[in-house]
Amino acid sequence: MAPTGRAALLAALGSLPVGIWEPGWTGLLAVNAPLAVACVCDYALAAPVRALGLTRSGDTSVRLGDTADVTLTVTNPSRRPLRARVRDAWPPSSWTPSTETEASRHRLTIPAGERRRVTTRLRPTRRGDRRADRVTVRSYGPLGLFTRQGTHKVPWTVRVLPPFTSRKHLPSKLARLRELDGRTSVLTRGEGTEFDSLRAYVPGDDTRSIDWRATARQSEVAVRTWRPERDRHILLVLDTGRTSAGRVGDAPRLDASMDAALLLAALASRAGDRVDLLAYDRRVRALVQGRAAGDLLPSLVNAMATLEPELVETDARGLTAAALRTAPRRSLIVLLTTLDATPVEEGLLPVLSRLTQRHTVLLASVADPHVASMAQGRGDVDAVYEAAAAAQARTERDRTAEQLRRRGVTVVDATPEELAPALADAYLELKSAGRL
């Protein structure tokens, strides 16, 4: 086979044999002496790569789906100009496959004693910490015949945060909260209410709401009104066991639960409630407590960023004990877990009374929209069998949910797109009913 590229050029000029070797070539090539001298000079004039100075700057966090820019500054301390190709390597999940080659490779020309900057644009495809691998520099001589190559470790970490796609629902939920808080007053004092104001008695008001002391100080009968209580405690409990690893669409169930938890946390903090987070399977994976309203969401997304489903069965007794330690006084405990019959009936139900006797419990679960589409299937034998399987699965989930409701648990079962707003609505319903 005829040689190609630089090898073809050198072979065509061969007369006086001189042995030259370059890594990647298959053997020694015979070239003439002048060309050999040119190659040696080309190699000698290539700027050294070991002495290069490399530093990083740029973004340290990014939401999943957005882009992060990390700048690499290369300093050339030698007396020779640097003509180089640079590969800035990151883990494969740091960008979509179609953009990896374009984003990670750069051409540089740096005069002696100067520096230049190149920017690598990351578009992560998974949550968590993405750490830079290494920087490979290939320095070329003036003729481009020979190269020097070396690698450098230049540490940098970009934390990929949950995307919080349900943020779009927050304005409508806040509007409903303002309506609930500002216009809804009740005459009957409930468990989750606090004194709001006095107003004049009108026929039909409950006589038990009359404030006799206030009435004695004025010429008309006064009644007390109540409003949903503020400063209530809410504990978000993320189940990170094996059931959270099940994929619904393109993401695991855990990601949909996180998104719902972020919307509820944003809404509850605006309502004046205190929100904590507990992630648990067989041990505590994350714990966020005592954060002020302004620091709550950043703390939650940072804690959630590195959470991954664990392929172990969740210890329901341990989860209950951890929740009770985290919420020693009466609270709303939001369990973001599964509605599958076996984990609930064998794990959660036997210990559920420990939670419900002291706290208000709300369970939110991610439903698979594919099951609903399967249930509509008709036309051939396979479709009918799939519809029957989907109907059986839905019946089991409904039966499990009913068992929980009979024990005083509010249940929200919705698809990933609907779970976050449905959970926020359930919170507002509990608040308006005075159960918080």
Side-chain angles (χ1 to χ4, degrees):
M1 181 180 294
T4 59
R6 287 182 296 168
L9 173 64
L10 297 177
L13 297 175
S15 58
L16 298 177
V18 177
I20 296 179
W21 174 268
E22 183 184 6
W25 290 12
T26 58
L28 297 176
L29 296 176
V31 298
N32 58 25
L35 187 57
V37 172
C39 292
V40 171
C41 292
D42 193 50
Y43 177 79
L45 292 174
V49 298
R50 299 293 182 184
L52 295 176
L54 290 89
T55 58
R56 291 190 186 274
S57 60
D59 296 329
T60 56
S61 64
V62 61
R63 288 197 180 275
L64 183 64
D66 293 342
T67 59
D69 290 338
V70 179
T71 299
L72 183 69
T73 302
V74 183
T75 303
N76 178 18
S78 72
R79 298 180 179 179
R80 309 168 201 161
L82 175 69
R83 307 168 187 87
R85 291 183 179 180
V86 178
R87 181 174 185 262
D88 188 5
W90 290 74
S93 58
S94 300
W95 35 46
T96 56
S98 61
T99 61
E100 189 273 338
T101 300
E102 178 183 353
S104 63
R105 289 168 171 78
H106 310 277
R107 289 181 178 270
L108 274 178
T109 300
I110 308 177
E114 296 188 15
R115 68 183 64 180
R116 294 292 186 270
R117 295 182 177 88
V118 293
T119 299
T120 301
R121 174 157 292 182
L122 308 178
R123 186 182 291 273
T125 58
R126 292 177 55 189
R127 289 181 294 101
D129 290 339
R130 299 290 168 266
R131 293 180 174 85
D133 186 5
R134 65 189 66 186
V135 178
T136 303
V137 181
R138 180 174 292 177
S139 173
Y140 291 84
L143 300 178
L145 297 175
F146 279 83
T147 63
R148 301 172 184 260
Q149 181 169 307
T151 60
H152 296 258
K153 283 284 188 180
V154 191
W156 194 260
T157 301
V158 176
R159 173 157 289 189
V160 186
L161 307 174
F164 195 10
T165 56
S166 63
R167 183 190 294 271
K168 60 188 177 184
H169 299 289
L170 187 57
S172 63
K173 304 307 175 187
L174 287 174
R176 186 177 171 192
L177 176 66
R178 286 191 294 269
E179 178 182 357
L180 173 66
D181 192 36
R183 292 170 46 189
T184 304
S185 297
V186 295
L187 292 177
T188 304
R189 182 176 184 177
E191 187 177 335
T193 57
E194 61 184 359
F195 175 73
D196 181 34
S197 61
L198 293 171
R199 65 168 176 80
Y201 175 86
V202 294
D205 286 345
D206 191 339
T207 56
R208 291 174 297 180
S209 301
I210 295 176
D211 188 321
W212 296 107
R213 292 186 178 181
T215 300
R217 293 194 298 268
Q218 57 190 28
S219 59
E220 57 184 7
V221 178
V223 295
R224 292 182 176 184
T225 61
W226 308 87
R227 66 180 178 185
E229 188 174 354
R230 292 177 177 271
D231 197 31
R232 305 297 286 176
H233 181 228
I234 298 173
L235 176 62
L236 303 173
V237 181
L238 282 173
D239 179 358
T240 55
R242 65 168 184 84
T243 57
S244 67
R247 299 187 74 83
V248 178
D250 295 330
R253 282 184 166 91
L254 181 60
D255 285 27
S257 297
M258 288 180 181
D259 191 50
L262 288 174
L263 179 62
L264 179 56
L267 180 62
S269 64
R270 298 286 187 91
D273 293 333
R274 294 172 291 114
V275 182
D276 292 337
L277 171 73
L278 170 68
Y280 192 95
D281 42 70
R282 288 187 174 273
R283 63 181 178 86
V284 175
R285 301 290 177 178
L287 181 62
V288 177
Q289 280 185 291
R291 296 294 192 273
D295 188 44
L296 177 62
L297 282 183
S299 299
L300 291 181
V301 295
N302 270 296
M304 292 177 180
T306 56
L307 284 178
E308 294 293 342
E310 301 292 331
L311 299 181
V312 296
E313 195 71 40
T314 299
D315 178 10
R317 293 186 181 275
L319 184 148
T320 301
L324 291 174
R325 288 194 303 269
T326 309
R329 290 181 288 184
R330 185 166 187 84
S331 309
L332 169 64
I333 295 183
V334 181
L335 296 175
L336 293 126
T337 184
T338 182
L339 263 181
D340 293 346
T342 301
V344 173
E345 294 175 359
E346 296 182 3
L348 183 58
L349 288 183
V351 298
L352 186 61
S353 60
R354 297 179 59 192
L355 293 176
T356 55
Q357 67 185 3
R358 186 187 303 179
H359 304 289
T360 302
V361 180
L362 193 161
L363 186 145
S365 180
V366 182
D368 190 346
H370 183 58
V371 175
S373 63
M374 287 173 56
Q376 305 299 322
R378 298 294 186 272
D380 55 39
V381 174
D382 291 340
V384 171
Y385 274 113
E386 288 183 356
Q392 182 179 1
R394 292 173 63 178
T395 300
E396 289 182 355
R397 289 180 72 88
D398 292 342
R399 180 173 58 83
T400 304
E402 185 58 32
Q403 288 180 293
L404 292 167
R405 292 187 182 99
R406 286 201 300 266
R407 289 166 171 80
V409 178
T410 301
V411 178
V412 175
D413 185 23
T415 60
E417 294 76 15
E418 299 171 350
L419 181 65
L423 181 59
D425 288 339
Y427 163 78
L428 293 172
E429 289 294 334
L430 290 173
K431 210 165 184 64
S432 64
R435 295 182 58 190
L436 293 184

